[in-house]
Amino acid sequence: MTVSSSAPPSPAWLLLFAAWIVAATATLSALFLGEVVGLPICPMCWYQRIVMFPLAVILPFGLFPDLDVRVIRQGLVLAAIGLLLALYHQGIVVGLIPEAIGPCRQGIPCAETVIRWFGFVTIPVLSIVAFATLVALLAAAHFRSHR
Amino acid sequence: MKPKTLFAGALALLFFAFAVATLIQTATPKDPEGPPPVAHAEALVRMHSPAFGHPNAKVTIVEFIDPACGTCATFYPAVKRMLADEPQNLRLVLRYAPFHPGVDQVIALIEAARRQGQMWPALEALLETQERWTPNHRPNVEEARRVLAGIGLDMERLRADAADPAIAALIAQDAADARLLGVDKTPEFFVNGRPLPSFGLKQLATLVGEELARR
């Protein structure tokens, strides 16, 4: 199924577009907190960045020149990996998973909370929300495009 | 709306939001007085701290330095130039921040060289050859000792002095003062007790200029 770029966008295209908005917002936010505000970046955050940043770059390739359903699948895999990493990270924060000695050097433990908005919004929580939204949007785009 | 227009609009909006947030975050409020002096000012300079420049200088720069820190090595020549430009008014007090594991042994060598009157040449030689004795951020004492052998030190005496517990105590005191003053990265500067508003050579020069203009 292809959609000419002059025609009004299809539902699948709009879902993929929404996913890109989420990925781009998350990418810029992570860069803002790390590079502008100067928050320390723990290893778990880097692992999640590894899958979030490419989403912001590759998803538009599925939008232009026409909807490319293969990109939806690729994005879904990255987002699913990110969601697992974010859940694991939150597990460390709440103490469900003991922090391994290996990954957290340079005095930046992954369990440390550097931001807490409204009492419960932490960076790992934001990450879970972003990746879960991405999985939902991309899965919806996948099924829409395969009907 | 056409898909391309939608995408371009969203992209522009995201970058605009990022730029605005960055501007708001980095905008420093105009404060003619500059940053206030740091708490625990008594921990800034100790009797044992090596100093360079005029003893009664108007402006004292306290620098916390980790000899294995790359940025410290990069900054050092510029700081030295600043001192050379104002020999009567500027003084540099050096404090050690042994943040790299194992660097305390290299600092002990510098302090041992001080007992031979060669502290500054030793420090400068080590900063210049940092990549040689700190491969992958891991200080190598043997390699550092080889560097110091090249500047004409009595190496037997250096080895014995470096093991002196008094030197270990001095390094421990500096590390404790760094913690007390909230120094967690290097190089960290205090100009007449005032910390830099933000990190950078320009900020250091500005603060020094402000203090020189006082009184």
Side-chain angles (χ1 to χ4, degrees):
Chain A
M1 166 182 152
T2 55
V3 178
S4 164
S5 39
S6 55
S10 69
W13 191 94
L14 284 172
L15 286 166
L16 184 57
F17 176 69
W20 171 74
I21 298 266
V22 172
T25 306
T27 296
L28 288 177
S29 306
L31 287 175
F32 180 77
L33 292 176
E35 302 306 312
V36 182
V37 181
L39 295 181
I41 301 157
C42 92
M44 278 310 296
C45 181
W46 272 115
Y47 300 148
Q48 287 159 69
R49 285 167 165 224
I50 286 168
V51 287
M52 182 61 88
F53 291 4
L55 278 168
V57 178
I58 65 159
L59 292 187
F61 286 98
L63 295 172
F64 301 104
D66 303 301
L67 180 69
D68 184 346
V69 293
R70 290 171 302 178
V71 175
I72 297 176
R73 212 180 52 149
Q74 294 157 8
L76 199 48
V77 172
L78 284 172
I81 294 170
L83 183 58
L84 291 178
L85 286 167
L87 287 170
Y88 184 82
H89 191 180
Q90 181 65 11
I92 292 175
V93 172
V94 298
L96 277 177
I97 300 156
E99 189 168 8
I101 304 149
C104 298
R105 279 170 294 152
Q106 295 172 341
I108 310 164
C110 294
E112 189 176 317
T113 303
V114 290
I115 278 188
R116 190 184 293 277
W117 291 318
F118 318 116
F120 69 97
V121 182
T122 60
I123 294 175
V125 167
L126 284 172
S127 178
I128 291 175
V129 170
F131 280 117
T133 311
L134 277 168
V135 168
L137 287 170
L138 290 169
H142 181 77
F143 290 121
R144 280 282 186 163
S145 63
H146 280 82
R147 271 201 318 200
Chain B
M1 200 190 287
K2 276 167 117 182
K4 268 184 187 159
T5 324
L6 195 63
F7 181 78
L11 190 65
L13 200 69
L14 283 172
F15 275 107
F16 180 73
F18 185 83
V20 169
T22 304
L23 280 177
I24 293 171
Q25 179 70 28
T26 52
T28 38
K30 281 276 167 236
D31 180 3
E33 280 301 302
V38 71
H40 304 292
E42 75 284 355
L44 277 173
V45 180
R46 297 287 180 190
M47 285 295 286
H48 65 241
S49 305
F52 183 87
H54 201 279
N56 298 323
K58 196 167 160 185
V59 178
T60 298
I61 303 174
V62 174
E63 176 177 3
F64 277 85
I65 196 168
D66 178 340
C69 147
T71 312
C72 295
T74 311
F75 268 51
Y76 186 78
V79 175
K80 227 190 143 189
R81 231 173 292 130
M82 239 178 247
L83 288 158
D85 288 344
E86 292 281 350
Q88 293 302 309
N89 298 322
L90 266 183
R91 185 170 72 118
L92 174 69
V93 173
L94 206 69
R95 303 300 305 274
Y96 301 111
F99 289 165
H100 282 77
V103 80
D104 47 337
Q105 292 184 58
V106 178
I107 296 172
L109 293 179
I110 298 172
E111 278 297 311
R114 188 173 169 192
R115 297 188 179 179
Q116 299 181 35
Q118 298 287 313
M119 190 234 132
W120 295 99
L123 174 72
E124 282 165 25
L126 285 171
L127 288 178
E128 273 166 30
T129 58
Q130 195 185 62
E131 280 172 35
R132 228 178 90 195
W133 59 269
T134 318
N136 301 319
H137 299 277
R138 288 199 194 89
N140 179 335
V141 190
E142 284 311 314
E143 195 60 42
R145 206 173 275 139
R146 271 192 280 278
V147 169
L148 293 182
I151 64 167
L153 292 168
D154 178 345
M155 295 311 286
E156 278 304 310
R157 216 183 122 195
L158 190 84
R159 193 179 285 269
D161 283 344
D164 187 340
I167 285 181
L170 178 154
I171 298 167
Q173 176 71 65
D174 276 22
D177 285 343
R179 256 193 311 279
L180 184 66
L181 294 163
V183 175
D184 57 359
K185 49 198 180 304
T186 50
E188 184 77 90
F189 298 94
F190 297 93
V191 181
N192 280 355
R194 293 160 75 199
L196 298 188
S198 63
F199 184 73
L201 261 183
K202 220 175 87 187
Q203 289 86 329
L204 176 64
T206 308
L207 198 53
V208 168
E210 277 173 30
E211 286 298 320
L212 283 172
R214 258 173 215 249
R215 280 162 284 180

